[in-house]
Amino acid sequence: MSLFNLFSVSASGMSAQRLRAQLLVENMANAETTRTPEGGPYRRKDAVFTSEPQGSPFSAVFQAEVDGAAGVAVAEVIEDTREPVKRYLPGHPDADSAGYVAFPRVNPAEDMVDLMNASRGFQANVSAISAVRDMIHRSLDLLR
Amino acid sequence: MWRFVGAFAALRLWHAPCSTPGGMLNPIASQLERYLDLLVERQRLVASNIANADTPDYKTRDIDFHFEFMSLARGARPRAIEAQGLQMKNDGNNVSVDRESRLLAENALRFNAAAALLKGQLQAVRTAIKEGRT
């Protein structure tokens, strides 16, 4: 139970939000990608979060506060299972026999809103860290 | 972090005749110590709520501050409860980032005020030890 463990909690939030932002940016970059190593068009990715107990890096895991601070972790990265969008482009090298090309079902508006959400979440965690840092400074001031 | 305050309390053991109930410090200091401990605990839950603002099915956690301050035994851990009256989102998460930001700022402010008061107490002891010289 120390102020320093709070850093681990907020840091876990920051890294989870960063990974989510990374996936969202990847989605927007690949909005028109029709070829992937797995075959077929690119599929939209998203992160699913789960809460996870966080200990300080210096204490054993079993000492980590089980009932107190829970950080966050990325449980899994999910891929969109919806059917790709078909566009009629007969001249395209990836077109099927009927002349349709499968494009990823990526909605830029959806991704931008999620990206703003991720960035705000990141900022909230940074504010939490600076508030805690201020509290630690005040505690150290008691010794002066 | 507050162990050195505990060390002052321990002084009582080997110098009982001149001690007052709070050791060298007056009784308010030990109340302040408990107050600071509770604020740290609450800040922990707030940080954890903020980190989990996007976790499906996560419920906001908090402590009943007044109750814990009145009843908490020395060294015991306060109980985390689920905060009531918050609106749940579609994914079963009910973290309100506004509420958590407010608590974050409020806890930091309360902590600073209590730390300043405690510092005053410690300064008084120090002045006594140094016989009034600075």
Side-chain angles (χ1 to χ4, degrees):
Chain A
M1 179 162 101
S2 102
L3 274 171
F4 292 98
N5 287 2
L6 271 72
F7 284 140
S8 322
V9 174
S10 294
S12 75
M14 282 166 71
S15 72
Q17 296 291 4
R18 203 201 53 221
L19 193 131
R20 182 158 160 237
Q22 193 182 321
L23 292 174
L24 292 168
V25 170
E26 192 182 320
N27 289 341
M28 280 187 283
N30 283 294
E32 303 283 325
T33 304
T34 53
R35 286 179 201 174
T36 52
E38 303 87 47
Y42 176 84
R43 286 183 182 276
R44 182 177 190 275
K45 292 189 183 117
D46 205 350
V48 179
F49 293 168
T50 177
S51 64
E52 186 186 68
Q54 296 281 322
S56 104
F58 303 106
S59 70
V61 176
F62 65 86
Q63 281 183 324
E65 284 70 11
V66 181
D67 62 335
V72 65
V74 176
E76 56 177 331
V77 174
I78 48 165
E79 282 199 347
D80 194 354
T81 51
R82 288 176 295 181
E83 275 296 298
V85 185
K86 299 273 189 186
R87 279 194 226 157
Y88 185 63
L89 290 168
H92 198 284
D94 292 327
D96 60 13
S97 52
Y100 284 96
V101 183
F103 278 93
R105 195 176 281 276
V106 172
N107 180 356
E110 187 185 357
D111 281 334
M112 278 313 291
V113 170
D114 282 358
L115 188 60
M116 275 159 67
N117 207 343
S119 129
R120 292 279 177 263
F122 191 90
Q123 281 172 15
N125 280 300
V126 172
S127 311
I129 285 188
S130 51
V132 170
R133 195 193 54 192
D134 197 37
M135 283 165 77
I136 290 177
H137 273 299
R138 293 293 170 141
S139 321
L140 292 175
D141 263 355
L142 287 173
L143 292 164
R144 297 235 175 84
Chain B
M1 195 160 295
W2 311 106
R3 293 299 157 256
F4 71 102
V5 178
F8 280 121
L11 288 174
R12 253 193 311 183
L13 295 177
W14 49 270
H15 207 246
C18 358
S19 74
T20 51
M24 246 193 227
L25 295 159
N26 82 32
I28 296 173
S30 66
Q31 296 280 323
L32 280 174
E33 186 191 341
R34 256 155 45 94
Y35 186 61
L36 290 168
D37 274 345
L38 269 180
L39 282 172
V40 169
E41 192 64 31
R42 192 173 212 194
Q43 198 72 311
R44 248 156 53 91
L45 293 174
V46 169
S48 149
N49 289 338
I50 290 178
N52 283 291
D54 288 318
T55 306
D57 289 326
Y58 180 88
K59 299 286 182 287
T60 303
R61 302 174 69 185
D62 200 356
I63 53 175
D64 184 343
F65 203 92
H66 188 73
F67 171 78
E68 299 290 353
F69 186 70
M70 289 305 177
S71 64
L72 189 64
R74 206 183 165 78
R77 294 283 309 272
R79 240 159 30 92
I81 51 169
E82 277 184 16
Q84 302 298 313
L86 289 164
Q87 192 172 8
M88 202 187 294
K89 287 173 256 179
N90 284 339
D91 58 357
N93 177 309
N94 71 354
V95 176
S96 152
V97 179
D98 298 342
R99 175 187 184 273
E100 303 308 322
S101 315
R102 200 207 91 211
L103 281 177
L104 188 74
E106 188 184 320
N107 283 341
L109 211 62
R110 283 176 187 272
F111 189 94
N112 290 351
L117 288 173
L118 191 56
K119 191 174 178 181
Q121 303 269 333
L122 292 169
Q123 291 286 357
V125 175
R126 170 174 297 189
T127 310
I129 290 171
K130 293 192 171 177
E131 302 172 3
R133 290 186 297 250
T134 49

